[in-house]
Amino acid sequence: MIITLTANPSLDRTIELGAPLAHGAVQRAIAAVQDPGGKGVNISRALQVSGVPTLAIVPGEAADPVLTALSAAEVEFVNLPTGEPIRSNITVVDPDGTTTKLNAPGTHFDAQLRERLDTLVIERSQGAEWVVLAGSLPPGLEPTYYSELVAALRASGYAGNIAIDTSEAPLIATVAGKHKPTLIKPNSEELAQLTGSDNWEELETSPELTARTAQKLLGGGIEYVLATLGGAGAVLVTEQGIWHAVHEPVQVRSTVGAGDSSLSGFMIAHTRGADATGCLVQAVAHGSAAAALPGTRMPSLDQTTPEKVTIHPIRL
C-alpha cells in the first residue's frame, strides 16, 4: 500500500489554447478539462490506474467535487472534514505546451485541525510501503510541517519509506530537518532552491551539474534524490550510483502533473522489486507519458514506454 497526503488539494481546471496566451485579450479555448488535483492526489490517481494499492488522505468534505471525482475514478481515499470547499486552480496551456498556472489559497488550518490531520496520517500509514507527503502547504501550516510530520511518523514506529515532493520553504525545511525522508523529488528549480542558487536553467541542461548538486543532499536518511529535468529526463542519485535517463521526444500536451507521474513510476517499479536503474527508467517513462496527455490526466503503466528510455551512469 502507498499512502499519499495532499494537505492542499484542488480542483484543477486546464484550458488549452489554439494560440499563445495574450495578456488582456479575449481568447477562445480549444479544449477544457477538470480533474481532482494536488500532488498527492495525482500520485494516487496514477497508482490506481496501474493497479497499485493506494490510499489518498485529503482534507475536505465528502461531497466536495474533488472527492466525488476521486470516487468516480475509483481512487480509495479518506477525507478530513474541514467545513470549507476545496480550492480551484486554473492552468492555461499554450499550443507549444507552455503552461501558466493560477493557484488559489487553500483551507486555513488551526491547531486543532492540524492535530486531527497528523493523527489521521499516522494511523493510516502503519504498515504502508511508502508514505508520500506532497504539494504545497495550506495557510496555517508552517513550512516545517512536513519535517515535523516525518519526525512524528518515525516516532510512531513507522519504518517504511517516506517520499517528499514539495518546493520552496517546506522542501528546504524538510531536507534540513533531523529526521529525513527516504526520497526527495526536486525539479531543477527546486534543486536550485535547496542550494540557494538561481542556476536552475543550467541544471536543467546539465545532468552532470544536477548530479553534483543532488549528491550533496544524500545522507542522514535520504537514500534517493530523483531530480526531474523536464524534456531532458531525470537524474537519480544514490550512494550506490548516479544515472541519467531520457525518453525519446514526445508531443507535449501538458506538463502539469508530469513530475507527479514520474514519482508514481518510480514507486511502482520499487514496489515490484526493481533496482535503482529500473526505478529511474519507469519514472522517466511515466513522466513522458503524462506530458503527452491533456490536462492532468495520469497514464497507466501500459501507456508508458520504458523501452524508449535511454539510461547511462554518471561518474563524478
Side-chain angles (χ1 to χ4, degrees):
M1 173 69 76
I2 296 176
I3 306 295
T4 67
L5 168 64
T6 307
N8 204 17
S10 62
L11 183 66
D12 286 347
R13 305 175 188 271
T14 302
I15 299 171
E16 291 190 54
L17 298 178
L21 178 66
H23 184 70
V26 175
Q27 292 179 261
R28 294 189 182 277
I30 59 173
V33 297
Q34 67 179 34
D35 296 297
K39 283 183 173 296
V41 166
N42 289 341
I43 291 165
S44 280
R45 288 169 53 215
L47 295 170
Q48 189 276 335
V49 297
S50 292
V52 177
T54 183
L55 175 72
I57 298 175
V58 187
E61 297 299 315
D64 191 277
V66 170
L67 297 177
T68 56
L70 281 180
S71 292
E74 300 182 343
V75 175
E76 185 179 356
F77 69 87
V78 58
N79 67 298
L80 175 69
T82 62
E84 296 184 19
I86 293 175
R87 64 182 179 144
S88 291
N89 292 338
I90 298 173
T91 299
V92 180
V93 183
D94 282 4
D96 65 355
T98 299
T99 58
T100 302
K101 298 190 69 177
L102 304 172
N103 290 349
T107 298
H108 184 274
F109 272 67
D110 59 18
Q112 183 180 29
L113 191 58
R114 171 187 167 151
E115 183 178 356
R116 289 165 54 205
L117 181 61
D118 288 356
T119 299
L120 184 60
V121 173
I122 291 168
E123 288 179 348
R124 295 290 181 150
S125 296
Q126 301 307 313
E129 187 167 353
W130 283 91
V131 175
V132 185
L133 311 179
S136 63
L137 293 175
L141 292 184
E142 296 296 325
T144 55
Y145 177 70
Y146 285 143
S147 177
E148 292 165 3
L149 187 51
V150 170
L153 280 164
R154 295 308 188 200
S156 75
Y158 177 71
N161 301 297
I162 301 175
I164 298 289
D165 188 4
T166 187
S167 61
E168 299 176 336
L171 176 61
I172 294 169
T174 303
V175 172
K178 179 180 178 181
H179 297 273
K180 313 287 188 185
T182 314
L183 178 151
I184 58 173
K185 194 215 70 61
N187 59 27
S188 55
E189 292 183 68
E190 292 156 356
L191 191 57
Q193 291 166 6
L194 283 169
T195 58
S197 67
D198 58 0
N199 67 338
W200 70 268
E201 291 178 316
E202 187 179 358
L203 287 168
E204 192 151 288
T205 59
S206 174
E208 290 76 17
L209 178 59
T210 294
R212 284 195 297 272
T213 304
Q215 192 176 39
K216 300 173 185 176
L217 304 174
L218 288 178
I222 297 178
E223 299 177 19
Y224 305 101
V225 180
L226 176 62
T228 53
L229 303 176
V235 170
L236 178 64
V237 179
T238 74
E239 294 288 0
Q240 290 70 46
I242 303 173
W243 302 269
H244 173 230
V246 64
H247 194 282
E248 292 180 8
V250 299
Q251 181 64 47
V252 175
R253 293 285 301 276
S254 172
T255 59
V256 179
D260 307 330
S261 185
S262 293
L263 180 52
S264 302
F266 183 98
M267 291 188 297
I268 289 171
H270 187 273
T271 60
R272 296 185 174 200
D275 62 10
T277 57
C279 292
L280 175 59
V281 166
Q282 192 58 53
V284 171
H286 253 78
S288 295
L293 294 173
T296 56
R297 284 181 56 191
M298 294 289 107
S300 61
L301 190 61
D302 60 9
Q303 288 178 300
T304 68
T305 49
E307 69 276 7
K308 295 184 179 181
V309 176
T310 301
I311 185 170
H312 68 268
I314 295 177
R315 295 181 174 86
L316 301 179

